[in-house]
């Protein structure tokens, strides 16, 4: 990972004191004593870290403005997954996210998926990335390619050079010669775990998922349209139970999002 700037925002709770984030290698920011959850200040400092902080696992702040303590690395190669773009050093996550990805990769075989190609999770200590993402800052987000894993071990350089395949025919329509029912089954499976809060896909893919969902449509409530996600889908899991410093999102409403 390249040296970079890591802004950290600590979000207050009434009567709470700041966690010891000085051991993350950064200066703690002002801590709000009110219950509004608003940061009193926002600063950044330069840190160059390639390893996680040796602390208990904790997601601090918002998905798009925070940091991560006690990250674990998703192994770059597993029985049913391979991590891509290794030079980015973005395969760190909260242990709950890593456990989810390992379980999903294993279970994906049951729906006919050969294995997962995993894109970005988070940096070893979270925080904003120099390129590519606004979120992925607290170790609870992951990108999963819509390209199936090849039936062989990819070399390191291949993982840098291989291109993810877009599922679009044009900016507003999915290419149904590339998209298959297996893609729908995979995303349905990914959404089925209780810890998953949202899944983001391109709006055209969202429409195809609704078209192909069949009678079981409850899982669609977790799927949200978002531009740019036409070669991967973005999984976000909820704040871990008991993690007082993680600022989650409002629960999704039930039902089919596109039909509301």
């Amino acid at each position: 990972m390249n040296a970079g700037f890591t802004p950290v925002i600590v979000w207050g709770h009434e009567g709470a004191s700041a966690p010891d984030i000085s051991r993350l290698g950064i200066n703690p920011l002002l801590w709000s004593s009110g219950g509004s959850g608003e940061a009193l200040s926002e600063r950044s400092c330069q840190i160059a870290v390639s390893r996680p902080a040796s602390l208990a696992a904790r997601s601090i702040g918002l998905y798009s403005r925070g940091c991560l303590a006690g990250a674990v690395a998703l192994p770059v190669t597993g029985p049913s997954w391979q991590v891509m773009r290794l030079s980015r050093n973005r395969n760190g996550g909260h242990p709950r996210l890593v456990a989810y990805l390992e379980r999903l990769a294993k279970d994906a075989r049951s729906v006919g998926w050969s294995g997962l190609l995993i894109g970005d999770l988070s940096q070893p200590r979270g925080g904003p990335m120099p390129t590519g993402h606004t979120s992925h800052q607290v170790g609870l987000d992951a990108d999963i390619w819509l390209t199936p894993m090849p039936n062989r071990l990819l070399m390191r350089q291949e993982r840098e050079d291989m291109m993810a395949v877009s599922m679009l025919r044009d900016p507003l329509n999915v290419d149904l010669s590339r998209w298959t029912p297996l893609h729908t089954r995979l995303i349905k499976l990914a959404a089925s775990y209780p810890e998953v809060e949202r899944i983001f896909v391109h709006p055209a893919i969202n429409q195809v998922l609704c078209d192909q969902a069949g009678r079981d449509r409850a899982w669609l409530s977790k799927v949200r349209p978002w531009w740019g996600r036409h070669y991967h889908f973005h999984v976000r899991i909820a704040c871990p139970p008991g993690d007082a410093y993680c600022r989650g999102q409002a629960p999704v409403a039930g039902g089919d999002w596109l039909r509301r």
Side-chain angles (χ1 to χ4, degrees):
M1 182 182 69
N2 295 328
F5 291 88
T6 303
V8 175
I9 305 300
V10 179
W11 301 89
H13 299 270
E14 188 171 2
S17 59
D20 180 14
I21 60 172
S22 61
R23 291 174 61 193
L24 287 170
I26 57 178
N27 294 322
L29 298 185
L30 294 177
W31 181 258
S32 171
S33 60
S36 65
E38 295 180 354
L40 293 180
S41 67
E42 181 175 349
R43 303 169 188 164
S44 62
C45 59
Q46 291 185 349
I47 59 173
V49 292
S50 58
R51 291 178 293 179
S54 298
L55 298 167
R58 179 178 289 165
S59 296
I60 303 170
L62 298 166
Y63 295 103
S64 59
R65 192 161 39 170
C67 61
L68 173 64
V72 298
L74 177 68
V76 298
T77 301
S80 48
W81 75 86
Q82 298 186 52
V83 176
M84 307 300 285
R85 308 296 189 259
L86 300 179
S87 63
R88 296 178 179 177
N89 197 26
R90 296 178 181 178
N91 62 312
H94 191 282
R96 198 167 187 239
L97 174 67
V98 171
Y100 163 79
L101 292 171
E102 293 180 350
R103 187 165 67 252
L104 174 62
K106 177 182 177 181
D107 293 348
R109 292 177 173 176
S110 68
V111 298
W113 202 259
S114 60
L116 301 181
L117 296 179
I118 306 293
D120 291 345
L121 280 65
S122 293
Q123 298 176 123
R125 301 190 186 189
M129 300 180 185
T131 59
H133 304 282
T134 301
S135 60
H136 291 254
Q137 294 197 28
V138 294
L140 301 175
D141 295 280
D143 291 341
I144 300 173
W145 285 24
L146 291 166
T147 304
M149 186 182 78
N151 189 26
R152 63 181 179 85
L153 178 65
L154 294 171
M155 297 295 101
R156 188 178 185 91
Q157 192 58 47
E158 289 182 287
R159 301 188 196 200
E160 299 294 331
D161 298 339
M162 181 177 171
M163 299 299 294
V165 177
S166 171
M167 296 291 113
L168 298 184
R169 185 183 72 221
D170 57 57
L172 298 177
N173 294 281
V174 168
D175 185 342
L176 295 178
S177 70
R178 297 176 182 173
W179 184 271
T180 72
L182 290 181
H183 290 93
T184 299
R185 292 175 199 161
L186 176 63
I187 295 177
K188 178 180 179 180
L189 175 66
S192 70
Y193 301 88
E195 61 265 41
V196 172
E197 186 168 82
R198 283 168 173 79
I199 291 180
F200 300 101
V201 297
H202 188 278
I205 292 177
N206 201 161
Q207 181 63 64
V208 171
L209 292 174
C210 290
D211 293 342
Q212 296 182 352
R215 293 184 178 181
D216 179 9
R217 310 184 70 82
W219 59 278
L220 289 170
S221 66
K222 296 183 180 181
V223 180
R224 290 293 186 270
W226 203 265
W227 298 103
R229 287 150 180 83
H230 52 87
Y231 56 89
H232 71 272
F233 63 98
H234 175 164
V235 175
R236 172 170 294 167
I237 67 171
C239 286
D243 196 333
Y245 304 106
C246 181
R247 301 288 293 186
Q249 295 177 276
V252 296
D256 185 334
W257 189 88
L258 287 180
R259 291 190 175 185
R260 292 200 299 271

